[in-house]
Amino acid sequence: MWANDALMVYRYRELLRNLVLRDLRMKYKGSAIGFFWSLLHPLAMAVVYTIAFEYILNIEIEFFPLFLLSGLLPWMFFTQAVSAATGAVADNGNLVRKVAFPRVVLPMGAIGAQFVQFLLMYLVVFPLALVIGVGLSPALFALVPVILLQMLFTVGFGLALSTAYVYLRDTRHLLEVALQVWFWLTPILYAVSLAPEDLRPVLWLNPMTHFITAYQQIVVYHHAPGLISMVVMTSVALAVLGFGMAIFGRHQRRFAEFV
């Protein structure tokens, strides 16, 4: 089943590419500085959170601005990608009703546009690492599998949510609330080691804890994820991807009736 879905996406790769480019063009259409608006947003958040957590609350994390930004950008990619994927099928109702094509390219196109933007945005952590004295190391190559696994996790999540939104329009509102709670349960502004000891096992049940911690360990401390972390991230990513593809594949033939 996965092989057939992957083959269909490959056959319609030109459509997928056009959807990604369309979303990127629409996002920056008419903007004077284009992509840099997307970069200013996380940088502004990083400045505010650094002032609040490092200088006001005196949280003790070495190289906090880099620690924060290296985890915040993957989180923002995840939230923006699943939010965009959620409405990708329902918001393209005319296309779904009138044109025959694999529906899966719609949420994948929405996620793909966010992924391209994330890759460009993440480049900012490397000069920041040099400026504050952390430097660069071969451990940074470990970012590649972590990014790919997070992408698979995000695609699976996005496919499931885009299916749910076709039938239940409250999905988008529920997602916004859930992401707010999820943000504070993910160690982006703090390290797991700083959380109360009783709470740490709960934090590790959160899949995003593994991804975000891996980014921070690689970029800030030059530690590649261990075998257990890679097994957990791989298992979670493939399980969520399989679930999302199964849900989407089971319902996609009925999408035209509801959009």
Side-chain angles (χ1 to χ4, degrees):
M1 182 177 174
W2 287 30
N4 289 335
D5 289 333
L7 182 61
M8 289 300 291
V9 171
Y10 178 75
R11 286 178 179 172
Y12 283 83
R13 60 189 182 281
E14 190 63 25
L15 174 59
L16 180 60
R17 188 180 74 89
N18 288 333
L19 288 172
V20 171
L21 292 175
R22 182 200 66 175
D23 285 357
L24 289 172
R25 290 193 188 107
M26 286 180 64
K27 185 164 186 175
Y28 302 119
K29 185 178 181 181
S31 171
I33 61 174
F35 164 76
F36 291 101
W37 279 119
S38 297
L39 196 56
L40 284 176
H41 182 205
L43 288 177
M45 289 180 66
V47 170
V48 171
Y49 283 135
T50 298
I51 294 172
F53 281 78
E54 188 172 29
Y55 295 104
I56 298 177
L57 298 177
N58 292 320
I59 191 169
E60 294 183 358
I61 295 180
E62 198 175 16
F63 306 114
F64 185 74
L66 184 64
F67 175 89
L68 169 61
L69 205 58
S70 61
L72 182 62
L73 290 173
W75 171 261
M76 291 182 68
F77 157 62
F78 173 70
T79 58
Q80 291 171 356
V82 295
S83 298
T86 297
V89 174
D91 294 344
N92 287 283
N94 286 334
L95 201 60
V96 172
R97 287 192 298 270
K98 296 176 181 177
V99 183
F101 66 97
R103 304 329 191 197
V104 71
V105 299
L106 290 173
M108 288 192 68
I111 294 171
Q114 299 299 327
F115 185 63
V116 171
Q117 185 173 273
F118 163 63
L119 292 180
L120 295 173
M121 289 166 59
Y122 209 77
L123 294 176
V124 76
V125 304
F126 304 125
L128 178 61
L130 292 172
V131 168
I132 67 176
V134 170
L136 307 177
S137 80
L140 292 174
F141 288 108
L143 284 174
V144 175
V146 174
I147 290 173
L148 290 176
L149 289 173
Q150 192 198 353
M151 179 64 170
L152 296 180
F153 176 76
T154 305
V155 169
F157 215 79
L159 291 177
L161 286 172
S162 65
T163 304
Y165 186 64
V166 169
Y167 300 104
L168 181 64
R169 298 309 164 94
D170 291 331
T171 301
R172 184 171 275 167
H173 302 294
L174 291 170
L175 176 64
E176 291 174 359
V177 175
L179 288 176
Q180 288 291 327
V181 177
W182 200 346
F183 174 78
W184 291 103
L185 292 176
T186 303
I188 300 168
L189 300 171
Y190 56 89
V192 176
S193 59
L194 297 180
E197 197 167 339
D198 294 343
L199 185 60
R200 293 175 198 171
V202 177
L203 294 177
W204 284 115
L205 291 176
N206 171 7
M208 287 302 292
T209 295
H210 297 272
F211 290 110
I212 298 301
T213 300
Y215 281 103
Q216 293 166 337
Q217 290 292 321
I218 293 169
V219 173
V220 183
Y221 306 112
H222 299 170
H223 293 160
L227 179 61
I228 294 177
S229 295
M230 290 304 298
V231 169
V232 170
M233 286 188 287
T234 303
S235 302
V236 167
L238 293 180
V240 173
L241 178 66
F243 175 76
M245 291 180 68
I247 293 292
F248 194 93
R250 183 177 300 175
H251 293 273
Q252 62 178 336
R253 292 183 180 177
R254 300 190 62 195
F255 285 165
E257 301 173 26
F258 294 90
V259 297

